[in-house]
Amino acid sequence: GESVGLHLPTLSVQEGDNSIINCAYSNSASDYFIWYKQESGKGPQFIIDIRSNMDKRQGQRVTVLLNKTVKHLSLQIAATQPGDSAVYFCAETPRSGGSYIPTFGRGTSLIVHP
Amino acid sequence: DTGVSQDPRHKITKRGQNVTFRCDPISEHNRLYWYRQTLGQGPEFLTYFQNEAQLEKSRLLSDRFSAERPKGSFSTLEIQRTEQGDSAMYLCASSLASVISYNEQFFGPGTRLTVL
């Protein structure tokens, strides 16, 4: 189940289950939304992005859903594996000058039990 | 390994000392970004370069912070007169510039700074 821990919201799942990580964003003018995975001791790693004119995008074992009406983003991971255990961040990218600078959310810790 | 390297990986310093971090981006990437990340939070943007030009700085970047990218390749981030509140992970990322779309940023492993 999902719970709010002392530092990060945490989602605990069994290996093989599907995981859904949710994120609320704030800027309705954001052009891109991105999911990153961060393992302990490493920098964030890009997983998948979605442009604001789309509502769904699929990658390998991952699907991102975007609901602009309620400013909600979700990441679905199919057949979750122990190697998926990490902190997951969503980011929105309002365009700033000539660049898209991601603004990161707080993060959700995913724990996959074998 | 994303191809972005940072040095040192860890730095412990005393309050009031100056520290300098280095980032080597992916060689063909013309954009380089610095972020700060504290425990339990997502990375916060500090500044970015396109080639050697520093194009944007966050309000988080106080006067004690300075960044350079002299030849448009590696970059340094210096913090002068460090304070305990500067303790954080400092992340570097690089990407190819685009004005029409988001281009994936590749992050380095970070430099963890502890100010005593």
Side-chain angles (χ1 to χ4, degrees), chain A residues 19-79:
Chain A
S19 302
I20 300 176
I21 301 171
N22 297 301
C23 175
Y25 65 91
S26 59
N27 192 336
S28 57
S30 291
D31 283 344
Y32 284 91
F33 302 88
I34 312 150
W35 282 100
Y36 285 89
K37 172 186 180 183
Q38 188 172 25
E39 297 174 279
S40 180
K42 297 184 179 181
Q45 177 186 0
F46 173 91
I47 302 172
I48 191 168
D49 64 4
I50 187 168
R51 197 160 189 177
S52 59
N53 61 356
M54 302 171 66
D55 53 22
K56 181 179 180 179
R57 190 174 185 206
Q58 287 185 291
Q60 187 177 9
R61 281 202 307 120
V62 295
T63 301
V64 56
L65 299 177
L66 175 64
N67 185 330
K68 293 183 288 295
T69 302
V70 294
K71 295 183 185 175
H72 183 267
L73 191 67
S74 69
L75 177 71
Q76 300 177 3
I77 305 174

Side-chain angles (χ1 to χ4, degrees), chain B residues 73-90:
Chain B
S73 56
F74 73 92
S75 175
T76 58
L77 177 69
E78 181 183 18
I79 309 174
Q80 296 182 325
R81 305 181 303 282
T82 52
E83 302 173 356
Q84 288 183 326
D86 297 330
S87 295
M89 176 76 83
Y90 290 85

Side-chain angles (χ1 to χ4, degrees), chain B residues 25-44:
Chain B
I26 294 171
S27 58
E28 60 266 29
H29 285 181
N30 52 2
R31 283 199 172 157
L32 186 148
Y33 307 79
W34 285 100
Y35 294 83
R36 180 174 66 190
Q37 185 176 27
T38 53
L39 192 63
Q41 303 296 320
E44 296 173 298

Side-chain angles (χ1 to χ4, degrees), chain B residues 32-102:
Chain B
L32 186 148
Y33 307 79
W34 285 100
Y35 294 83
R36 180 174 66 190
Q37 185 176 27
T38 53
L39 192 63
Q41 303 296 320
E44 296 173 298
F45 169 75
L46 294 177
T47 188
Y48 90 92
F49 294 83
Q50 180 158 318
N51 300 312
E52 65 276 8
Q54 188 172 17
L55 295 187
E56 188 167 340
K57 292 193 288 186
S58 163
R59 285 169 290 181
L60 292 175
L61 208 65
S62 79
D63 291 344
R64 296 184 296 105
F65 288 67
S66 62
E68 294 183 341
R69 194 182 183 198
K71 298 181 181 179
S73 56
F74 73 92
S75 175
T76 58
L77 177 69
E78 181 183 18
I79 309 174
Q80 296 182 325
R81 305 181 303 282
T82 52
E83 302 173 356
Q84 288 183 326
D86 297 330
S87 295
M89 176 76 83
Y90 290 85
L91 292 162
C92 173
S94 70
S95 73
L96 283 171
S98 172
V99 295
I100 60 171
S101 67
Y102 172 78

